[in-house]
Amino acid sequence: MPSAIPLEAEDRSVLMRNFLKRIVNNDRRSKQIFRMYFDRKEISEEQFYQAISN
């Protein structure tokens, strides 16, 4: 597993804004990722940011 490089707060906020726009636009994959991290806690914060940066 590659070592985690912490994201700067600014980078995280940009990623999160773009991610939330996708949720608003009814993107199914984004909604699944959101549920996995925020609702069910199935993935870590690092995995969450890695998933939304793709």
Side-chain angles (χ1 to χ4, degrees):
M1 183 176 198
S3 62
I5 300 171
L7 291 171
E8 297 292 326
E10 186 177 323
D11 293 337
R12 281 197 303 260
S13 66
V14 168
L15 271 177
M16 187 59 77
R17 276 197 302 272
N18 291 338
F19 176 69
L20 292 174
K21 284 179 192 174
R22 283 190 257 167
I23 288 178
V24 168
N25 290 331
N26 211 22
D27 181 70
R28 181 175 294 175
R29 180 176 177 272
S30 296
K31 288 182 178 184
Q32 288 172 337
I33 293 169
F34 180 86
R35 287 188 203 106
M36 287 175 71
Y37 177 63
F38 287 99
D39 294 344
R40 300 190 300 245
K41 305 292 184 203
E42 292 178 4
I43 59 176
S44 68
E45 182 179 12
E46 177 186 333
Q47 291 170 314
F48 172 72
Y49 281 111
Q50 188 176 32
I52 69 173
S53 65
N54 294 335

